[in-house]
Amino acid sequence: LIATTAVLISFVLSLVYFIQILTTKQPIHIHLFDCINLQSFTVNLGFTLDQLSLLWLLVVTGIGALIHVYSIGYMKDDENVGRYFGYLNLFIFFMTVLVIGSNLFVTFIGWEGVGLCSYLLIGFWDKNQQFNNAAKKAFIMNRIGDLGFLIGIFTLAYLFQTLDFEGFKAAATMSGSSESTALLGVSTFCLFIGATGKSAQIPLYTWLPDAMAGPTPVSALIHAATMVTAGIFVITRLNFLFDMTPDIQMLIAIVGGVTALFAATIGIVQNDIKKVLAYSTVSQLGLMFLALGVWAYHIAVFHVITHAFFKA
């Protein structure tokens, strides 16, 4: 009850801020303190509530609350029900940090956190060795993507001397030299690799069908509504950087299109219903990446929201 109420309160607060921003049209910036403070380089622990982050928050906390309510009945006979709800709440917390971070450092904290929680939740019934293997597979494949994500963050920090999204926006309009364009291409490519791992695109998609080993509400939360859309969130959040590297955009569109076709084809011949849903999710994520690759960010976000509801 405590866990479910906490998520419901989060949803109500998200709704309040959403309505507030609808009327004021002004994003809310919250600066807590500086984490890293070097001569010309500071990274702060800050949060931004704007249209994009609040849309994601409504999906995460809204569907999260419904899944918590469903889990009460689903897990009532389980011996470790307290641990389960602890993990579920931790997951919602990290997902919230991921979407409201005002810079890539805070986003990365949430990014790693949801990776950890997915590992804990997929392998929740740890007496079955097959489930443990699925959890390890998800964790390790996500680490491959996260290495790319980290390299992308370091490249951007070197290029712009900041990790702040607003700072990127200001610096990106001014940079025009060929070296900075090449480095920008490297960083967007590495961020795309990170997104590929988290959002299960070719070639890092094989963890998602195995991840259905966890309890059903976990599959609904992680593999439909929230965690797998983190890659789409990051690309949409940094859309002004991706706009400047059209070759990478082309690559995103191709990978998304191929994934959508490939995963749907595999899904046709699956016998296990949860496997069918898993490949369907990979296919839908491919369509979202295709939209991102052709500069249709608003369509990708729209599809994230509709997909979160019907798949969960």
Side-chain angles (χ1 to χ4, degrees):
L1 279 173
I2 293 169
T4 313
T5 313
V7 183
L8 273 170
I9 292 169
S10 307
F11 175 66
V12 171
L13 287 172
S14 305
L15 207 55
V16 169
Y17 279 113
F18 184 74
I19 293 162
Q20 181 182 330
I21 280 185
L22 268 183
T23 49
T24 62
K25 304 273 193 293
Q26 291 299 319
I28 301 165
H29 297 289
I30 301 151
H31 177 99
L32 295 180
F33 55 84
D34 289 345
C35 304
I36 301 169
N37 207 337
L38 305 171
Q39 284 167 346
S40 62
F41 183 73
T42 53
V43 175
N44 61 48
L45 192 66
F47 302 114
T48 299
L49 294 174
D50 59 4
Q51 288 172 322
L52 185 67
S53 58
L54 278 164
L55 266 178
W56 239 273
L57 267 188
L58 286 175
V59 172
V60 171
T61 54
I63 292 182
L66 294 173
I67 287 168
H68 270 72
V69 172
Y70 181 76
S71 296
I72 293 173
Y74 188 88
M75 300 294 285
K76 69 174 187 291
D77 300 328
D78 199 281
E79 55 189 344
N80 294 319
V81 67
R83 183 162 64 97
Y84 170 82
F85 275 98
Y87 289 165
L88 219 52
N89 260 165
L90 189 67
F91 175 80
I92 299 271
F93 166 73
F94 277 126
M95 196 65 208
T96 307
V97 170
L98 194 160
V99 297
I100 64 175
S102 67
N103 57 50
L104 276 172
F105 174 73
V106 180
T107 300
F108 191 70
I109 294 173
W111 186 271
E112 289 301 303
V114 290
L116 167 71
C117 292
S118 75
Y119 167 76
L120 295 172
L121 284 164
I122 293 164
F124 182 74
W125 287 321
D126 48 20
K127 296 199 172 44
N128 182 332
Q129 190 51 42
Q130 199 182 345
F131 293 178
N132 292 340
N133 291 342
K136 283 187 287 198
K137 183 175 184 180
F139 195 71
I140 291 162
M141 288 194 92
N142 268 300
R143 295 289 75 74
I144 298 168
D146 293 352
L147 176 64
F149 195 68
L150 260 180
I151 295 169
I153 291 176
F154 290 145
T155 315
L156 285 175
Y158 169 74
L159 197 58
F160 295 129
Q161 303 297 314
T162 180
L163 286 180
D164 214 58
F165 295 133
E166 295 293 318
F168 288 153
K169 215 170 215 170
T173 49
M174 297 191 296
S175 66
S177 69
S178 56
E179 187 207 1
S180 65
T181 311
L183 273 175
L184 195 60
V186 171
S187 62
T188 50
F189 176 66
C190 290
L191 289 173
F192 170 56
I193 292 174
T196 304
K198 200 60 102 213
S199 296
Q201 298 298 292
I202 286 175
L204 300 176
Y205 73 97
T206 51
W207 66 269
L208 193 91
D210 292 11
M212 292 295 170
T216 303
V218 170
S219 305
L221 183 64
I222 293 184
H223 309 122
T226 51
M227 177 181 141
V228 287
T229 61
I232 292 149
F233 173 80
V234 167
I235 293 179
T236 311
R237 174 58 94 195
L238 294 170
N239 63 72
F240 45 89
L241 295 182
F242 282 86
D243 284 347
M244 295 164 70
T245 51
D247 296 348
I248 307 297
Q249 287 285 70
M250 186 72 182
L251 181 70
I252 293 174
I254 292 167
V255 169
V258 170
T259 305
L261 276 170
F262 188 66
T265 314
I266 300 176
I268 291 172
V269 293
Q270 293 297 321
N271 299 327
D272 179 350
I273 185 75
K274 282 181 89 173
K275 281 273 202 300
V276 177
L277 286 169
Y279 281 111
S280 156
T281 299
V282 178
S283 174
Q284 298 294 324
L285 287 163
L287 291 173
M288 293 170 206
F289 270 89
L290 180 58
L292 292 173
V294 295
W295 288 281
Y297 301 106
H298 55 296
I299 292 173
V301 172
F302 175 70
H303 192 47
V304 164
I305 293 165
T306 53
H307 173 258
F309 279 93
F310 74 71
K311 190 57 59 74

